[in-house]
Amino acid sequence: MEEKRWSLASINLHTMLRDVWKNLWMIVLVAASAVMLTRVASETIYKPEYTSSVTMSVTSKSGSNAVADLNTTRQMASAFQGVLESDLLHETVAAAMGETSLPAQLESSIIEGTNLLTISATADNARTAFLTVKAVMENYNTVSDQVLSGAVFTVVREPQIARAPSNAMSLRSRLILAGALGALAMLAVVILMSCLRDTVKREEEVKEKLDTHLIASVPHEKRPDGKNKKEKHSFLITHTVISFAFEESIRQIRTRLEYAAKQDGAKVFLISSFGENEGKSTISANSALSLAEKGYHVLLIDADFRKPAQYKVLNRDVAEANCLGEYLRGTCSVDKIIQTNAEVNLYEMFGKNYYSDSVELLGSARMKKLLEVSRQKMDFIIIDSPPMSALSDTEVLAELVDATVLVVREDTSAVPDLNESIMILNESKSRLLGCVYND
């Protein structure tokens, strides 16, 4: 089969939303981790800074207290900014504070349209910032008098000790952003993995991706409730609440089995899947019921000796001593393992025990003899087999039956695994009729 490339047509919104729902816990976990890491990083990297400032007016000695010439005083203020940035003032202030270097960063700015000058000192603690501004106020004249002898500096607003950091961290907004980005990143990963996962996500992809054709497509069905709301029934066509679409899909499978019986003389049909929980047991039970309701004599065999399910699907009480596996071991007779459905012509051979030697039992002479005798008495024999993913039981059974059907559940098994299963069934003595797409 030629290699199929991914395309936008492979996107299935239903499976994508289902993946998001299944991985919602992971999205939340990543978001929470992002919040925690951001908090730790912020608290580790963040260093608080405190700023203390003083506002001074600059006037000319030749003028009055009012500003006689705004342009002149602003030029003086600008010149004073240069004084504040000078090494000489820094050294003078540091020496006055008993430091080897200035312990704070000085900045100055002129208030637009005025002769007011703001001097700020920023340090790693509020006291140092305050003391630096005070030291500047006490020592600036030793430097400025040499440069600006005609200027008068008057304090308008005294400096105060800062009560809060001037670079206060907006932690809450950072945490919200980190959580949102973490959730979005994980959501993108989940959606990308959902889109790129090589499974059968739509009915149309059966033809595009698999080396077989489609027999029928079983629609999604809501599980019927029992009298008790906590009680759940299996999906069976005998239930009155089952939808018409579900019944019609089972009739399509029945028609395909009837056609194979008429054209090829097939009587024994194996229904399998690659993995667990793909719906093969439900399809097997409903196919047998549909054939029996039409008047055929049908035998339904549960040959899954690792995880039997038919007794649960049809709600049957099976004694451990009367399981199919016990008959194959020779510990009980055939009349002990067969049950009859009184409502239709359905005969059942179920089990509930686990058998580690299932391959040997299914390939035994007693199994071959059982099928040989059953062929003479039944119109159809439906065998529910184990999944093909981990066991060779199905390969053994495929050599004993006339035809096989592979159940493919939506977005469950990888396409390469499905095609390998198809190849194995095609190479057996039985004929692969096709696959059932289980939505």
Side-chain angles (χ1 to χ4, degrees):
M1 183 177 184
E2 62 181 79
E3 183 180 354
K4 302 297 181 181
R5 295 182 179 179
W6 182 88
S7 66
L8 289 176
S10 301
I11 297 177
N12 185 316
L13 183 60
H14 174 260
T15 59
M16 187 184 299
L17 292 176
R18 186 174 61 195
D19 284 338
V20 171
W21 176 252
K22 286 182 178 179
N23 293 282
L24 186 60
W25 66 273
M26 191 177 295
I27 296 174
V28 173
L29 180 62
V30 171
S33 300
V35 169
M36 292 177 63
L37 289 174
T38 301
R39 185 181 186 90
V40 171
S42 298
E43 292 177 349
T44 302
I45 298 173
Y46 173 66
K47 293 181 178 179
E49 295 178 346
Y50 298 85
T51 301
S52 185
S53 60
V54 60
T55 302
M56 307 173 72
S57 65
V58 185
T59 58
S60 174
K61 287 183 179 180
S62 61
S64 61
N65 291 334
V67 179
D69 188 346
L70 183 60
N71 290 332
T72 301
T73 56
R74 291 192 62 202
Q75 290 175 2
M76 292 180 178
S78 298
F80 186 69
Q81 281 185 296
V83 172
L84 290 175
E85 296 174 0
S86 67
D87 293 337
L88 179 59
L89 180 63
H90 290 184
E91 292 172 0
T92 302
V93 171
M97 296 177 66
E99 302 285 348
T100 56
S101 61
L102 193 66
Q105 181 180 353
L106 290 178
E107 291 183 356
S108 62
S109 61
I110 301 172
I111 299 177
E112 186 68 28
T114 70
N115 65 328
L116 299 178
L117 176 70
T118 299
I119 303 172
S120 301
T122 302
D124 56 5
N125 64 79
R127 179 175 175 78
T128 300
F130 174 75
L131 293 177
T132 301
V133 172
K134 294 289 288 184
V136 170
M137 292 172 61
E138 294 169 357
N139 294 277
Y140 75 87
N141 55 349
T142 61
V143 178
S144 64
D145 286 350
Q146 302 174 21
V147 180
L148 300 169
S149 57
V152 176
F153 298 90
T154 305
V155 175
V156 176
R157 189 181 66 183
E158 294 284 347
Q160 294 181 345
I161 296 178
R163 295 184 178 182
S166 56
N167 64 337
M169 180 175 57
S170 180
L171 186 58
R172 184 172 181 273
S173 59
R174 287 188 182 185
L175 296 182
I176 293 174
L177 180 61
L181 291 177
L184 288 174
M186 192 61 217
L187 177 63
V189 171
V190 171
I191 291 176
L192 181 63
M193 292 179 65
S194 177
C195 293
L196 296 181
R197 188 168 53 247
D198 191 13
T199 56
V200 179
K201 300 183 180 70
R202 297 178 296 110
E203 179 182 332
E204 296 78 9
E205 290 186 339
V206 171
K207 181 179 179 180
E208 297 171 2
K209 294 184 174 183
L210 301 186
D211 297 328
T212 188
H213 61 273
L214 183 68
I215 294 177
S217 180
V218 180
H220 178 75
E221 188 79 6
K222 183 179 178 181
R223 187 176 294 276
D225 293 329
K227 294 180 180 179
N228 183 345
K229 288 189 175 181
K230 294 184 178 179
E231 179 185 355
K232 298 291 184 179
H233 287 306
S234 301
F235 300 105
L236 295 176
I237 57 174
T238 52
H239 292 153
T240 56
V241 294
I242 289 296
S243 67
F244 174 79
F246 184 85
E247 290 187 49
E248 183 62 25
S249 65
I250 297 301
R251 279 195 287 268
Q252 290 179 6
I253 299 173
R254 182 190 70 192
T255 300
R256 186 66 185 89
L257 299 182
E258 288 178 308
Y259 182 80
K262 182 178 179 180
Q263 292 296 113
D264 305 326
K267 276 194 174 185
V268 185
F269 297 88
L270 179 71
I271 298 181
S272 187
S273 63
F274 172 76
E276 293 184 357
N277 302 318
E278 295 205 47
K280 63 178 181 58
S281 296
T282 300
I283 299 299
S284 300
N286 282 289
S287 300
L289 284 170
S290 183
L291 288 165
E293 284 183 342
K294 198 173 179 181
Y296 295 111
H297 287 80
V298 183
L299 172 63
L300 176 60
I301 299 177
D302 190 347
D304 189 343
F305 288 171
R306 307 296 180 110
K307 196 175 180 180
Q310 287 299 337
Y311 77 98
K312 296 179 182 178
V313 174
L314 292 170
N315 194 25
R316 299 290 187 261
D317 185 18
V318 180
E320 294 185 1
N322 296 332
C323 294
L324 174 60
E326 298 305 312
Y327 166 76
L328 296 180
R329 282 184 169 179
T331 59
C332 70
S333 59
V334 69
D335 60 301
K336 295 289 186 180
I337 65 170
I338 192 166
Q339 297 187 46
T340 305
N341 189 321
E343 299 177 3
V344 291
N345 296 319
L346 179 62
Y347 301 87
E348 304 161 354
M349 291 184 181
F350 297 161
K352 62 191 301 185
N353 297 337
Y354 173 87
Y355 298 94
S356 58
D357 57 343
S358 57
V359 174
E360 290 76 10
L361 293 176
L362 294 174
S364 65
R366 289 179 72 88
M367 184 64 180
K368 295 175 183 177
K369 182 65 176 179
L370 177 64
L371 292 178
E372 182 182 338
V373 173
S374 299
R375 285 176 185 273
Q376 301 172 6
K377 297 181 179 181
M378 299 293 165
D379 299 313
F380 288 90
I381 301 171
I382 307 296
I383 301 179
D384 178 15
S385 81
M388 302 180 67
S389 56
L391 306 171
S392 57
D393 300 31
T394 303
E395 297 178 39
V396 173
L397 288 169
E399 301 296 329
L400 305 179
V401 302
D402 302 321
T404 58
V405 174
L406 186 69
V407 178
V408 177
R409 187 174 183 178
E410 178 187 86
D411 193 31
T412 301
S413 296
V415 169
D417 294 330
L418 291 172
N419 280 325
E420 184 178 358
S421 299
I422 291 170
M423 180 187 68
I424 292 172
L425 294 176
N426 278 328
E427 291 177 351
S428 67
K429 293 180 180 179
S430 59
R431 176 190 172 194
L432 176 61
L433 301 181
C435 75
V436 174
Y437 179 69
N438 188 16
D439 187 351

